[in-house]
Amino acid sequence: MWDDAFPSFLIGLREGLEAGLIVSILVATLVRADARSRLPQVWTGVLAAITLAMSFGAVLTFTAASLSATAQEAFGGTLSVIAVVFVTAMVFWMRRSARSLSGEIKEKVTGALAMGSGVLILTSFLAVGREGLETALFLWTTAQAAGESSGPLTGAAIGLILSAALCWGLYRRVLKINLTKFFTATGAVLIVIAAGVLGYGLRDLQEGGVLPGKAAYAIDLSGSIDAGSWYSTLVQGVFNLTPAMTWLQVFGYAGYLAVVMTLFVRGLGATAPKPASGKAAPAPDAPTPARRRPAWVVPAAVVTVPALLAGLAVAFGRPKPAAAQTVAVSEKDCGEGFTAPKPGRQTFQMHNTGDKTAEVYLIDPATNAVYGEIEGLAPGTTRALVATVAGGAYAWRCVPSGGTAVTSEAVRVTGGGAAKAVVPVSEHDLSGPLAQYRTYVDEGLAALVPQTRMLADDIRHNHLGKARTDWLTAHRTYASLGAAYGTFEDFDQKIDGRADGLPDGVHDKDFTGFHRIEYGLWHGEPATSLTAPAQRLAADAAGLREAFPHQDFHPSDLPLRAHEVLENTLQFELTGGTDEGSGTNLATADANLAGTRELLTVLRPLLTSRSPHLLPTVDADVARLQKLLGSAHHGSHWTPVGQLGATDRARVNGVTGQLLEDLSPVPALLEIRKAA
C-alpha cells in the first residue's frame, strides 16, 4: 500500500502546500489591511474550490464505472495523459512563480478589496480551484493504476494534512522553509513519477484499442524479476514501471523524461521576477446595502451548485439503460416479445413460459456466436440476461432439457459500437483434440507400466539407490498426465494418493502408491517393507492402462483441466505439501507443466480462432516458468522447494500465478454450448 501511496503523498503535499500558501497569503493580507470582516469571503471561495474538486473526482469515477472494460481502458489512458500535461505545467509554473507568489497574490487581494465581496470570493476560488482540479485528476489516475489498493487515498490524505500543518507554521512564523528549493526538488521527483503515469496511460490506450502495439514488447523481464517482491512492488507503485513494457511505453517514458527534465534543469538558473513591494491598501468603505443576505446563503450555494452539477453530469453522462424487454422462452416458441434493441448494454428479462428447464442464448444467427446466455432457466421463472449489442443481426436460441433447440426470428440492430461474442464449441469440435489427448495419455501409460515394474524389481533386489532414481522417472511420467486425473477414477488415489486425512497418516494401511514408496525410500525403510507396496503400484499402473480405453473422458474436461492442473501444482507441489522426503516437488511441477503444454497443443486451433492473443501470452508464461523450474535442476538433483531462496520461491509462485490468470479464460472460451 505504501508503495502506491508515495506518488499521491507527494502530489497531496505539493498541491496542498501551493493552495495553502495562497490561502495563507490571502488571510495575512486581509488581516494586515484591517479587513478581517472579509475573511468569510475567502473561506467561501476555498470551500467552493474544494467542493468543485470533489465533484470532479466523482464525475470521473462514476463516468468510468459505466463504461465497458475496453472503453474504461481508453478513458483512463486519456485522462492519464491529460494529468501528465497538467502536472508538468504545474511543476514549471511553481518553479517560476515561487519567489514572486506572495507579491502577486497581494496585488490581487488589493484589487479584490476595492471591487467587492464577489471578486474576493472569485479570487480565492480560482487560486485554490486549479490546484484542487489538478489534484483530483492526478489522484484518480494513480488510483486507477493501483487497482484496489487504498494507498493513493492514504498517501494523499497524509500529504494534505502535512501541507496544512506546514502552512499553519509558515503563517504563524514558527517555521521557515526555502520554498524555491522545496518546489524545485519535489518538481524533479514529480517529473519522474509523471513519466511513469504517461507510460501507464499509453498502455491503457493500447489495451483500449486506441493506440497500436499492444503485443509489441520492448522489455519483458517477467521471467527474471519477481513481480511480487518488495523491490518490484516499490518500483511499480512509485514509478509505474512494470517488468514487461511495450515499445510505445518505453519511448513515451524515455522521451518525456529526457525532454521535460532537460527543460526543467535548464530553467533553474533563470532569475524569477522580484516580488512586488508595498503594503496592501486598506479596504475602502463599502456602501451599506439596503438589504443584507443571510450569511449562510453564499456558502450553501457554492457547495450545492458544484455538487448538483456533478450529479447532473453523472446522471446524464452515464448511458441510460433501456427499459428491459421481457422475452418469452418455451420448448415451442422462443423469443416472443423480442424487438430490435438500441446499441449498448441491454438487460433482457427472460421468462420461461414452458414446462421444461431451458438454456437460453442470444446469438448471431449467421455464425452462432453467443453474446449472452442463461443456463437452467426453470419453468415459470424470470431471470435477467445482460448483454452488449452493436450493429448486426441477433436472435434467441432456446434449448429445453431433453428437447430440440428453437431459434427465434432475427432482428437487426443499426448503429455503431462493438459487441464481443464467443463462437460456441460443440462436442464435435472437441472430439478431435480429445482423441489426440487420449493417444498422448495412452502412450504415457504404456511407458508408466514398465517403469513401475522396474521400480518394483529394484526394491525386490534391494537396489534402493537405483530405486530412488527410477521412482522419480516413473512419478514424473504419471505427473505429466494431469489432465486425465479425473478420468482415472479410483486408480488415481491408489497410484498417487496422499496420506492427508488417513487415520494413521503415512503408516496407514490405505496409504499406497508413489508417495508411500517415496516415504519409505527416503526414510530408511528396508526393502522388505517396500516390496509389497511397489508390486501393488506396478499392478495398479497395469490395471489403469487396461481400463483407460473404456473410461469416460468427456470432451468438456479438456478446457477445464488446462487451468486445474496448475492450480493443484500451486497448491500442493509449490508449497511442498506432497513431499514425503524426496525433495522433488519441482520435478513434479515440471512434469505437470509438460502435461499442460501438451493439452494446450491439442486445444490450440480452437483457442487461436476464438482468442488470437491468448496463446502467445500463455506461451510466454510457460517459457518463463519452464526456465525457472529448469534452474532448479542440476543433473539428477532437484532443489527442494524448502531450500529455494525467498526471492526464487516468490518468483516461481508469481510466474505460476500469472500463468493461471492467463489460462483462466480457457474454460469459458471452450465451454460446450447447445446453441451450436
Side-chain angles (χ1 to χ4, degrees):
M1 182 183 76
W2 295 111
D3 307 308
D4 297 323
F6 179 73
S8 298
F9 164 77
L10 187 60
I11 197 71
L13 178 63
R14 265 193 65 108
E15 295 288 281
L17 191 55
E18 284 186 38
L21 286 173
I22 294 172
V23 173
S24 299
I25 295 170
L26 286 170
V27 172
T29 304
L30 290 175
V31 170
R32 292 172 187 173
D34 294 326
R36 291 178 179 270
S37 62
R38 309 292 290 275
L39 288 177
Q41 297 165 13
V42 173
W43 298 121
T44 298
V46 171
L47 185 62
I50 294 173
T51 306
L52 178 65
M54 296 179 67
S55 300
F56 179 55
V59 170
L60 293 179
T61 301
F62 289 107
T63 301
S66 67
L67 300 174
S68 66
T70 302
Q72 285 186 31
E73 299 283 1
F75 182 72
T78 301
L79 289 183
S80 295
V81 174
I82 294 174
V84 170
V85 174
F86 281 171
V87 169
T88 305
M90 174 266 292
V91 166
F92 279 90
W93 178 81
M94 202 59 195
R95 186 205 65 193
R96 183 180 63 252
S97 304
R99 298 179 183 177
S100 59
L101 182 63
S102 178
E104 292 178 3
I105 295 299
K106 288 178 180 178
E107 290 180 1
K108 292 181 179 179
V109 172
T110 301
L113 286 172
M115 298 181 68
S117 62
V119 177
L120 187 57
I121 293 174
L122 183 62
T123 299
S124 59
F125 171 77
L126 293 177
V128 179
R130 193 191 72 165
E131 276 69 28
L133 292 176
E134 289 175 351
T135 304
L137 180 57
F138 193 84
L139 288 182
W140 189 88
T141 56
T142 53
Q144 290 294 108
E148 297 181 357
S149 171
S150 59
L153 294 181
T154 303
I158 295 174
L160 290 171
I161 292 172
L162 181 57
S163 67
L166 292 175
C167 288
W168 181 86
L170 291 170
Y171 175 74
R172 303 296 297 180
R173 298 185 180 181
V174 297
L175 187 66
K176 291 185 178 181
I177 298 177
N178 188 321
L179 294 177
T180 301
K181 291 184 178 179
F182 172 83
F183 284 115
T184 297
T186 56
V189 176
L190 267 182
I191 289 173
V192 177
I193 293 174
V197 173
L198 178 61
Y200 172 81
L202 293 175
R203 180 60 179 168
D204 271 357
L205 291 173
Q206 289 179 311
E207 294 285 352
V210 178
L211 295 175
K214 175 181 176 180
Y217 287 99
I219 301 172
D220 189 356
L221 303 177
S222 304
S224 56
I225 293 180
D226 175 22
S229 64
W230 67 268
Y231 55 85
S232 180
T233 303
L234 179 66
V235 172
Q236 291 183 62
V238 175
F239 302 111
N240 272 308
L241 293 176
T242 57
M245 296 181 68
T246 64
W247 283 105
L248 181 60
Q249 285 181 279
V250 171
F251 284 133
Y253 180 91
Y256 172 88
L257 198 59
V259 173
V260 176
M261 189 64 80
T262 300
L263 294 175
F264 183 78
V265 172
R266 284 181 179 177
L268 292 179
T271 303
K274 295 182 179 180
S277 58
K279 294 184 178 180
D285 294 333
T288 302
R291 185 177 180 180
R292 295 179 60 85
R293 290 189 302 269
W296 56 267
V297 171
V298 175
V302 299
V303 172
T304 303
V305 171
L308 181 61
L309 292 176
L312 293 174
V314 171
F316 289 101
R318 299 174 75 174
K320 296 181 180 179
Q325 295 186 29
T326 299
V327 182
V329 175
S330 73
E331 57 268 28
K332 295 182 179 179
D333 191 14
C334 181
E336 183 179 351
F338 180 48
T339 58
K342 293 182 178 180
R345 195 166 180 81
Q346 302 292 337
T347 300
F348 303 95
Q349 296 295 335
M350 311 307 299
H351 179 60
N352 191 341
T353 59
D355 299 324
K356 297 181 179 180
T357 299
E359 296 181 8
V360 187
Y361 304 92
L362 179 63
I363 65 169
D364 179 343
T367 64
N368 287 323
V370 178
Y371 292 93
E373 62 183 309
I374 290 180
E375 297 181 354
L377 182 62
T381 61
T382 301
R383 284 164 58 187
L385 186 152
V386 180
T388 300
V389 300
Y394 296 85
W396 291 103
R397 181 161 292 163
C398 307
V399 187
S401 58
T404 305
V406 181
T407 305
S408 72
E409 292 185 5
V411 301
R412 180 159 292 278
V413 176
T414 57
K420 188 175 182 180
V422 176
V423 179
V425 174
S426 66
E427 289 191 23
H428 176 73
D429 293 328
L430 283 169
S431 60
L434 179 61
Q436 295 177 53
Y437 196 76
R438 288 188 73 105
T439 300
Y440 165 77
V441 174
D442 194 59
E443 292 173 351
L445 292 175
L448 179 68
V449 171
Q451 289 171 355
T452 54
R453 287 174 180 166
M454 183 177 295
L455 173 61
D457 288 343
D458 293 338
I459 293 175
R460 188 174 73 252
H461 293 96
N462 201 26
H463 298 154
L464 298 188
K466 186 173 182 298
R468 293 186 184 95
T469 300
D470 290 340
W471 176 90
L472 181 57
T473 300
H475 190 239
R476 278 172 54 81
T477 297
Y478 186 79
S480 68
L481 310 179
Y485 286 171
T487 306
F488 291 164
E489 300 172 350
D490 294 339
F491 282 102
D492 183 51
Q493 180 62 31
K494 295 175 182 178
I495 293 173
D496 204 38
R498 299 186 298 274
D500 304 349
L502 297 177
D504 296 324
V506 294
H507 303 293
D508 197 278
K509 62 181 179 61
D510 292 326
F511 182 37
T512 61
F514 280 110
H515 292 300
R516 168 66 184 91
I517 297 171
E518 177 190 8
Y519 180 83
L521 286 174
W522 275 272
H523 283 84
E525 285 191 29
T528 53
S529 69
L530 291 174
T531 299
Q535 291 176 343
R536 181 176 177 181
L537 172 63
D540 287 335
L544 174 58
R545 188 193 177 193
E546 183 179 351
F548 178 69
H550 310 290
Q551 290 176 332
D552 182 25
F553 198 153
H554 196 272
S556 62
D557 286 347
L558 286 181
L560 289 174
R561 298 292 183 260
H563 191 263
E564 290 177 350
V565 172
L566 289 178
E567 276 187 337
N568 290 335
T569 302
L570 188 62
Q571 181 180 359
F572 298 114
E573 308 303 337
L574 298 185
T575 60
T578 55
D579 183 14
E580 294 295 353
S582 67
T584 58
N585 279 127
L586 294 181
T588 306
D590 183 73
N592 290 155
L593 184 63
T596 300
R597 189 188 300 110
E598 178 65 27
L599 181 59
L600 292 173
T601 298
V602 302
L603 294 176
R604 185 170 294 271
L606 293 176
L607 290 172
T608 299
S609 63
R610 286 161 176 80
S611 182
H613 303 297
L614 174 66
L615 282 176
T617 302
V618 168
D619 289 342
D621 293 340
V622 169
R624 286 194 289 267
L625 182 55
Q626 183 71 69
K627 182 179 179 181
L628 290 174
L629 293 175
S631 66
H633 186 200
H634 312 285
S636 61
H637 174 72
W638 287 81
T639 303
V641 170
Q643 294 181 18
L644 286 176
T647 299
D648 291 336
R649 188 167 183 176
R651 190 174 294 161
V652 171
N653 289 335
V655 173
T656 305
Q658 183 62 53
L659 176 55
L660 279 171
E661 182 178 341
D662 292 333
L663 283 173
S664 60
V666 172
L669 287 170
L670 301 185
E671 178 185 354
I672 294 177
R673 292 177 169 88
K674 297 178 182 178

